[in-house]
Amino acid sequence: MATDKTSTLDDVVAELRDGMTIGIGGWGSRRKPMALVRAIARSDVKDLTVVTYGGADLGLLCATGKVRRAYYGFVSLDSAPFYDPWFAKARTSGSIEAREMDEGMVKCGLEAAAARLPFLPIRAGLGSDVLNFWEGELKTIESPYADADGRTQTLVAMPALKLDAAFVHLDVADAHGNAGYTGVDPYFDDLYLAAAERRYLEVDRLVTTEELVAELPNQRLIVNRMNVDRVVHAPNGAHFTFAGGYGRDEAFQRFYVESAGSDDTWAAFTTRFLDVDEATYQNEVTKWQAEQEEAK
Amino acid sequence: MSTPDSTNTEITRAEYCVTACADIFTGAGEIMASPMAPTPLLGARLARLTTEQDLLITDGEALILADTPAIGKVGPTEGWMPFRKVFDVVASGRRHVVMGANQIDRFGNQNLSAFGPLQHPTRQMFGVRGAPGNTINHPTSYWVARHSSRVFVDDVDIVSGVGFDKVDERNPAFDSLNIHRVVTNLGVFDFNGPGHTMQALSLHPGVTADEVAENTSFPIAGLDNAPVTATPTDEQLRIIREVLDPKGVRNREVK
């Protein structure tokens, strides 16, 4: 019998260290491991380097002062007002170091790390300000093979995005870390896990292995237990982003953005939705949704 | 239900923009058309329903559409295109993207990332997104709904989309760079002016060269001699008005 890896959010937080490089799965405001992000946000950890296709995950970690450096292809809430307010504040105040890159370079860097390669060549980035964002960290590589016309290609040498820890949210998993997605897109979650030393999976539904393989076509089983260290059962854990079983909470996402507008509104948001454990968060979200209905 | 009369109604500026966006894809063949805003989306679908039947289009999420539905609608699908496969398509070169732009300069450098210094911007937008990979790999065009000198600037703050003056001729990795068109509410442009600079291909009816010049920070080649944008055909108007955009989404993006 394979190891039972079911864990609590507290178990995960206990393994966090200052200065870690962490990768966060999902994409923009889509299937983000928000329960884990909230746990990191309310922990004592600091000086994180974050690798992400960014959304409110990066925003919340910026809001709580956790981020020293960010590697990202974009940061988007995917719906109006699109730009994350806390990421924007961190950038315009110069409080984080940006290692901005083309979206395809994020995938490339994770693939290099997953294959234990120091770099992979990629065309994306050439001629753009990406190389200037990286302040000398990003180099080019000349092909040892000339093209047919005798010229030689020089490409971006995308360094491996090696992660100390990866955090992802999937729709359904077993206790051993086998897991799959039920929506239209796997995003890059398997790559984040494969690029990391410690691998944390949160999941909406925890089922037996037999139920998992009976429910999902094989091609949806993108994660196997070799690449998972802890499994956290977190129903609705991707909230307010969407997951396979539920849509994005657009109203709550707008509320998050509006709350960032002043110190008072953010303090209220923090008291109610961040300085609380996950169960309280989910209860308060349910209450908040009822309040919105009543106000209509 | 009555159908709108396609021929007796005055052709709107938005309709000229849609057909100009359709023309972006003329001769594109069997590639993925990736429009990132309503007007170029209508243009890509119009092209697919007229001269470019082999274009691939998606629902903007992860599904390839078999039919060519109205804007905002989905229909039967013919395939799967999750984000990670999009990057495979980008690298393959078999794609033509139409992106937006916060800034564009006369060589086609584009910014959608942020304004101000790289590490301390004055205003944060999306970051570079897929713009560096798009521009270096496959045909790229731009759609600007409000042509102004704040968009068409002497120098972009951050180069997300690569322009022609960045090309290193000795390095074949730049060979696919092709900034094909810029369509705006005022006209149609490309970068075949002297030294790969922006030139006017046509101005929409009612737009003067002076109006374009006043709303552009740099000189545009061929502006004084630019012809008027071609009139949409009756068939194009019928498809736009009755099939692709019966609710008039186009008129909200272009007044």
Side-chain angles (χ1 to χ4, degrees):
Chain A
M1 187 65 175
T3 305
D4 184 337
K5 297 170 185 168
T6 52
S7 307
T8 65
L9 290 168
D10 288 340
D11 293 333
V12 176
V13 168
E15 296 182 4
L16 299 176
R17 302 185 310 277
D18 292 349
M20 274 182 138
T21 296
I22 68 168
I24 304 176
W27 169 283
S29 188
R30 305 167 200 228
R31 215 180 66 221
K32 282 285 172 178
M34 296 301 281
L36 284 163
V37 168
R38 286 184 282 269
I40 297 168
R42 63 176 178 264
S43 75
D44 295 328
V45 75
K46 59 182 187 294
D47 295 331
L48 296 176
T49 291
V50 179
V51 178
T52 185
Y53 288 106
D57 55 328
L58 186 54
L60 281 174
L61 295 180
C62 286
T64 49
K66 302 300 184 189
V67 184
R68 184 171 61 85
R69 177 181 279 194
Y71 290 75
Y72 57 91
F74 64 83
V75 180
S76 173
L77 298 175
D78 291 332
S79 53
F82 295 101
Y83 308 140
D84 181 273
W86 285 109
F87 172 69
K89 283 183 195 188
R91 290 273 289 134
T92 54
S93 66
S95 69
I96 61 172
E97 291 173 45
R99 293 292 178 263
E100 193 165 304
M101 71 191 101
D102 176 78
E103 292 171 17
M105 292 170 68
V106 180
K107 170 176 177 267
C108 187
L110 293 172
E111 286 172 334
R116 299 177 295 160
L117 294 170
F119 72 92
L120 280 170
I122 185 168
R123 219 178 274 113
L126 288 174
S128 76
D129 264 329
V130 165
L131 282 99
N132 296 324
F133 262 110
W134 285 54
E135 300 176 330
E137 263 185 69
L138 187 61
K139 301 181 193 306
T140 56
I141 182 81
E142 187 178 350
S143 171
Y145 310 105
D147 281 8
D149 65 3
R151 292 180 302 160
T152 304
Q153 293 200 32
T154 296
L155 298 156
V156 168
M158 180 63 208
L161 292 169
K162 292 194 283 187
L163 307 174
D164 296 315
F167 302 87
V168 307
H169 180 104
L170 284 161
D171 305 308
V172 55
D174 69 14
H176 316 297
N178 300 301
Y181 72 101
T182 65
V184 289
D185 199 319
Y187 308 117
F188 302 83
D189 291 352
D190 50 335
L191 282 178
Y192 280 98
L193 296 172
E197 287 287 325
R198 290 291 289 176
R199 294 79 46 95
Y200 302 100
L201 166 67
E202 63 167 70
V203 63
D204 285 306
R205 288 185 293 125
L206 198 57
V207 300
T208 67
T209 306
E210 288 161 319
E211 289 166 336
L212 176 70
V213 300
E215 175 179 339
L216 295 186
N218 294 330
Q219 292 82 354
R220 286 185 175 279
L221 298 171
I222 55 168
V223 171
N224 59 61
R225 58 190 170 82
M226 276 187 291
N227 284 341
V228 175
D229 294 297
R230 290 190 180 277
V231 179
V232 178
H233 185 206
N236 205 39
H239 182 269
F240 44 90
T241 71
F242 67 69
Y246 44 91
R248 182 180 303 140
D249 190 341
E250 297 284 3
F252 192 88
Q253 179 165 288
R254 282 195 298 275
F255 176 64
Y256 155 75
V257 172
E258 287 159 10
S259 297
S262 78
D263 290 347
D264 287 349
T265 51
W266 187 249
F269 185 93
T270 299
T271 302
R272 188 171 180 187
F273 297 107
L274 282 181
D275 292 342
V276 296
D277 64 18
E278 181 65 15
T280 307
Y281 172 83
Q282 294 290 348
N283 282 337
E284 290 300 318
V285 166
T286 304
K287 277 193 227 166
W288 183 88
Q289 289 164 336
E291 290 161 15
Q292 301 307 302
E293 279 304 308
E294 279 172 30
K296 274 181 187 171
Chain B
M1 203 173 103
S2 67
T3 52
D5 189 318
S6 294
T7 51
N8 289 339
T9 316
E10 192 186 346
I11 301 168
T12 66
R13 180 68 59 83
E15 286 160 350
Y16 279 94
C17 292
V18 170
T19 50
C21 283
D23 192 46
I24 286 173
F25 297 100
T26 298
E30 199 155 27
I31 60 150
M32 193 158 94
S34 297
M36 299 297 185
T39 300
L41 182 146
L42 289 166
R45 292 188 186 188
L46 177 60
R48 195 176 193 241
L49 288 173
T50 52
T51 63
E52 302 300 319
Q53 62 179 20
D54 288 332
L55 286 175
L56 280 78
I57 59 170
T58 73
D59 65 350
E61 178 109 41
L63 301 173
I64 308 173
L65 299 176
D67 292 345
T68 310
I71 187 167
K73 304 282 187 195
V74 289
T77 61
E78 63 172 344
W80 187 47
M81 189 58 65
F83 286 123
R84 71 170 62 186
K85 287 173 76 77
V86 172
F87 297 137
D88 295 341
V89 176
V90 169
S92 81
R94 300 196 62 79
R95 185 170 183 251
H96 190 145
V97 69
V98 186
M99 291 189 284
N102 296 89
Q103 296 174 321
I104 296 175
D105 74 13
R106 67 183 311 197
F107 296 102
N109 293 288
Q110 170 254 26
N111 178 20
L112 48 64
S113 172
F115 292 139
L118 294 180
Q119 294 296 347
H120 203 141
T122 54
R123 182 170 178 235
Q124 179 65 44
M125 285 93 74
F126 284 122
V128 296
R129 295 219 79 151
N134 291 342
T135 45
I136 203 77
N137 277 298
H138 57 63
T140 298
S141 293
Y142 294 108
W143 159 245
V144 176
R146 263 185 245 166
H147 189 132
S148 80
S149 53
R150 293 174 63 176
V151 175
F152 292 95
V153 294
D154 290 329
D155 293 294
V156 303
D157 290 20
I158 296 174
V159 177
S160 346
V162 180
F164 284 105
D165 62 336
K166 301 296 188 293
V167 171
D168 177 356
E169 301 281 356
R170 297 161 301 175
N171 181 0
F174 282 92
D175 285 0
S176 296
L177 187 114
N178 176 11
I179 313 304
H180 178 67
R181 290 278 166 84
V182 178
V183 177
T184 79
N185 61 320
L186 299 185
V188 182
F189 309 86
D190 70 8
F191 292 93
N192 290 324
H196 271 305
T197 54
M198 189 159 147
Q199 76 168 354
L201 294 180
S202 69
L203 305 185
H204 303 323
V207 176
T208 63
D210 284 349
E211 186 181 0
V212 176
E214 281 164 21
N215 287 288
T216 309
S217 295
F218 49 82
I220 295 180
L223 189 54
D224 292 330
N225 305 316
V228 177
T229 303
T231 306
T233 66
D234 291 348
E235 174 69 356
Q236 285 179 316
L237 288 174
R238 186 190 65 78
I239 292 170
I240 293 168
R241 295 171 179 177
E242 298 176 19
V243 179
L244 290 176
D245 189 23
K247 291 181 178 167
V249 172
R250 63 191 180 281
N251 297 317
R252 292 202 286 275
E253 197 168 42
V254 183
K255 300 280 194 262

